[in-house]
Amino acid sequence: MSAQRGRRIAGGDTRAEILVAARAMFGESGYTATTLRGVAHRAGVDPALILHHFGSKEVLFRNATHVSFDPAAIAAIIGSRDGGSPGERLCRYFLGLWEDGVTREPLLAMLRSALTHEAAAESLREFLSEALVGRVAMVLDTADAALRATLVGSQLIGLAMARYVLRIEPLASADPATVAAWIAPTLERYLTA
Amino acid sequence: MSAQRGRRIAGGDTRAEILVAARAMFGESGYTATTLRGVAHRAGVDPALILHHFGSKEVLFRNATHVSFDPAAIAAIIGSRDGGSPGERLCRYFLGLWEDGVTREPLLAMLRSALTHEAAAESLREFLSEALVGRVAMVLDTADAALRATLVGSQLIGLAMARYVLRIEPLASADPATVAAWIAPTLERYLTA
DNA sequence: GATGGAATTCACCACACGGTGAATTATAGA
DNA sequence: TCTATAATTCACCGTGTGGTGAATTCCATC
């Protein structure tokens, strides 16, 4: 029952389990409130092991929240011609990211930490500015493209906050399709006013 | 120069100074990352004094973030007939709250802490649900009024996050009037689709 | 002008934090 | 099979945290 000293018998990918636990806890509590001890406990592991694998809490966080989003995908989605207007496509893509349990957790962690932890904020800012704004601006090709893209970002952040973080009803439990139907026109207007 | 023991000579309202410092720090760092010692240092006061005045960090937070918003004001603003559509009026009111240094700080503190601190989240949820959604729903009088109001809330939260917390450019530095001109129609559409 | 109470600081406490260094055990390669 | 190495735990360390209790100083009331 009690933990044994030394290397475990092969089989489990402990490092990966630590990342899973870390993602969950960063997503629930944000960077500061998440403790190495808490993550370790959740992963069924000694706290020191986390530092052995990742050197510091900061690095752990980066590894846990490194959501492998594809910046090019966004441009493709907006630029493509399948399924409705660009606004609708972008909206569905965004909602899809949050509805999928796999991608939701790193996003939650990112967003929850962004308000407290400067590095996370920088990361999110970069993501929005570069990936979203940059790509959108390229596709749009108007003078105020940057502002337009930021407005799109603001609505998307607000949606994520209200629906997935604060869980305000009835938005939180509403059907994704319903939400998309309401939000998409807003995005569309921001993109092509 | 060094601090003296015992009661200070009359003149300053130390309790109020503590609240000012607390508001600033909660607004900059959120609940968890803000320490009593930090607040005390900023207020030029011994940490124990804070606990003497407010009993606990939790109570300090509640006192510091108790933004005296007037729920009735929102209903009045939406319901009134001065200056543009309801969406425009609401948007200007909201932006006004954030552009004013006095009201901005408690709001920042609230928002920054809402993602990490459950009590703060509850507080913000309550504010949005009751004050905003409730009042808007009454004025609107449609079946999906609650959903509409929440969508309005999501755009407003997103705006605050992008512009005042994450400070994403060019939204952060844009002229308030410009921002209002872009956002207001969105709110208007959510209210009266 | 004495006196009770409020305001303020000081010296601590128990605890949790992130992080370090050595000891122990299993795995992988020779 | 022997050995180097990677994985894991343990015992700590220094620091910072929210919070407590007593001592000190001023203010206000009589």
Side-chain angles (χ1 to χ4, degrees), chain A residues 28-33 111-116 118 121 124-125 128-129 133 144 146-148 150-151 153-155 157-159 161-162 165-172 174 178-179 181-186 189-190 193, chain B residues 28-30 32-33 111-116 118 121 124-125 128-129 133 144 146-148 150-151 153-155 157-159 161-162 165-172 174 178-179 181-187 189-190 193:
Chain A
E28 289 166 12
S29 321
Y31 183 85
T32 316
L111 192 53
R112 266 244 165 74
S113 307
L115 275 74
T116 297
E118 188 46 44
L124 183 58
R125 219 174 293 145
L128 287 172
S129 299
V133 178
D144 52 2
L147 180 56
R148 288 166 182 271
T150 329
L151 288 167
S154 80
Q155 172 64 86
I157 291 181
L159 175 59
M161 289 274 302
V165 179
L166 297 175
R167 292 205 189 81
I168 299 174
E169 297 296 354
L171 224 199
T178 306
V179 175
W182 284 90
I183 298 285
T186 293
R189 195 178 66 79
Y190 287 153
Chain B
E28 289 166 13
S29 320
T32 315
L111 192 53
R112 267 244 165 76
S113 307
L115 275 74
T116 296
E118 189 45 44
L124 183 58
R125 220 174 292 145
L128 287 171
S129 299
V133 177
D144 51 1
L147 180 57
R148 289 165 184 271
T150 329
L151 288 168
S154 81
Q155 173 63 86
I157 291 180
L159 176 59
M161 289 273 303
V165 180
L166 297 175
R167 292 206 189 80
I168 300 173
E169 297 295 353
L171 223 200
T178 306
V179 176
W182 282 91
I183 298 284
T186 293
L187 302 186
R189 196 179 67 78
Y190 287 155

